[in-house]
Amino acid sequence: MARAAAAVAVLVVAFAAAAAAQESCNTELPGVLVGNYSGLNCQPVWNNFVLRYHQDKNNVLRVVLSTMYSTGWVGMGFSRDGLMVGSSAMVGWIGRKGLPHVKQFALRGKTSGKVVVNRGFLVSNSNNHDHTVVVQQARIYLAFQLQFSYRLTHQHIILAFGSSIPVNNKLTKHQDKTSFTFDFTTGKAFVDGSFPYGLRRAHGALNLFAWGVLMPIGAILARYFRRMDPLWFYLHVGVQFVAFIIGLAGVVAGVALYNKIQADIPAHRGLGIFILVLGILQILAFFLRPNTDSKYRKYWNWYHHWSGRLVLFFAAVNIVLGIHVGGGDNSWKIGYGFNLAIILLAVIGLEFMLRTRWSKDSEPTPTY
């Protein structure tokens, strides 16, 4: 019995020691980091690696990457396409003299000569003194701050570590590495290839085409082409109905996307719901349209016109917001900006022509 009790005690101690040797979000940050790196979100991401992070309203990203450590280096890379080549990485280590080192490396190839120190597309926030490495209780904490020109959402991340201390800022080959997509809005990590990029593109493309292209065209037909009666009416109704169906498909794609990634973007989601409700009311208004000689027709016209204008305005706002929070690249921004410019120029030109025609129609007939 005594031997059994002793064996159990040894196992308990072993398990306790193993648990203590694991890095987790419950581990307190070293005192030197409490201040610049307080109030961070925390998420275990790979093996013993824990990622603490926070992105403020100025798009400054504060990061503390921690893991178990004895010697060598640890690094966190930011990739534009999920590949190591072409990415930039923040790498930290404790030198042979016990001094901390944090450097940015441009990973231009897979050989050590292609890994270039003090190069890369990452921009440090204000000064490099905010970057540091701390080793405490066999754990290393790589802390740095980066300035981005946009809000990070789904970012390709590469984590790696090596067992040899870099000499003259030359990195040795990594002992192990991993890559994944990290959602900085929800704190979820996705194995590269598992994030629903196709669903996100479908949600954006369907809604942009429906609410940002077809809906404005339908409104233009109703305001500026009434001389083509009754063709303008059928075109207006047909275009708006098709736009609503496509927009509804985009909303369904958005709901499916939200269920997969649980993105915390209440403004975009709230505006989308508001626009959808207005769209449904517009569809119902078509079936409840009074006769032209009804005394209620003027109130229906007022409601129909202004609710339609609200749909177009808030749809444009939400498309821009969606491109922003979805991390859309320049092709999305330039494409929608060009589309918006064409629509605005067309409206200005058609409005000028309409008002010119009105002024001519209102002129008195000459008596001479």
Side-chain angles (χ1 to χ4, degrees), residues 112-172:
S112 59
K114 295 290 184 67
V115 181
V116 185
V117 69
N118 294 329
R119 293 289 186 272
F121 56 77
L122 300 175
V123 179
S124 299
N125 178 40
S126 66
N127 60 75
N128 289 330
H129 297 297
D130 293 328
H131 306 333
T132 188
V133 172
V134 179
V135 172
Q136 179 176 288
Q137 297 179 349
R139 296 179 177 89
I140 188 170
Y141 299 85
L142 169 61
F144 55 88
Q145 298 187 31
L146 300 175
Q147 175 72 63
F148 289 88
S149 59
Y150 55 92
R151 187 164 186 80
L152 280 187
T153 52
H154 306 97
Q155 173 64 48
H156 296 291
I157 298 295
I158 300 171
L159 300 180
F161 65 91
S163 57
S164 299
I165 297 175
V167 178
N168 296 325
N169 295 324
K170 294 288 186 181
L171 288 186
T172 55

Side-chain angles (χ1 to χ4, degrees), residues 109-320:
K110 295 184 178 181
T111 61
S112 59
K114 295 290 184 67
V115 181
V116 185
V117 69
N118 294 329
R119 293 289 186 272
F121 56 77
L122 300 175
V123 179
S124 299
N125 178 40
S126 66
N127 60 75
N128 289 330
H129 297 297
D130 293 328
H131 306 333
T132 188
V133 172
V134 179
V135 172
Q136 179 176 288
Q137 297 179 349
R139 296 179 177 89
I140 188 170
Y141 299 85
L142 169 61
F144 55 88
Q145 298 187 31
L146 300 175
Q147 175 72 63
F148 289 88
S149 59
Y150 55 92
R151 187 164 186 80
L152 280 187
T153 52
H154 306 97
Q155 173 64 48
H156 296 291
I157 298 295
I158 300 171
L159 300 180
F161 65 91
S163 57
S164 299
I165 297 175
V167 178
N168 296 325
N169 295 324
K170 294 288 186 181
L171 288 186
T172 55
K173 185 178 180 179
H174 57 262
Q175 186 173 337
D176 199 1
K177 72 176 181 70
T178 189
S179 63
F180 54 89
T181 298
F182 191 76
D183 185 349
F184 281 94
T185 60
T186 64
K188 291 187 176 182
F190 302 87
V191 176
D192 278 343
S194 68
F195 183 81
Y197 288 104
L199 195 57
R200 185 177 67 175
R201 281 192 296 269
H203 170 64
L206 288 171
N207 282 310
L208 191 154
F209 182 62
W211 305 98
V213 178
L214 290 182
M215 283 283 183
I217 291 174
I220 287 172
L221 288 170
R223 180 165 178 80
Y224 302 113
F225 293 89
R226 285 179 176 262
R227 285 191 169 187
M228 300 168 59
D229 193 49
L231 180 60
W232 73 265
F233 175 76
Y234 296 117
L235 287 175
H236 170 67
V237 172
V239 169
Q240 299 301 64
F241 184 74
V242 170
F244 178 78
I245 295 300
I246 295 175
L248 188 60
V251 171
V252 171
V255 172
L257 181 64
Y258 176 77
N259 290 335
K260 282 184 175 293
I261 66 175
Q262 297 293 311
D264 184 21
I265 42 177
H268 181 61
R269 189 167 65 253
L271 275 176
I273 294 171
F274 177 66
I275 293 163
L276 179 63
V277 170
L278 284 179
I280 293 172
L281 291 176
Q282 288 287 69
I283 295 295
L284 292 176
F286 170 76
F287 295 102
L288 300 175
R289 183 167 53 107
N291 294 326
T292 54
D293 56 353
S294 171
K295 64 179 181 179
Y296 301 108
R297 183 58 182 254
K298 64 178 181 179
Y299 302 109
W300 183 91
N301 286 339
W302 182 89
Y303 154 78
H304 181 61
H305 296 164
W306 281 103
S307 61
R309 289 163 184 163
L310 285 176
V311 168
L312 294 178
F313 173 76
F314 284 110
V317 171
N318 211 29
I319 288 170
V320 173

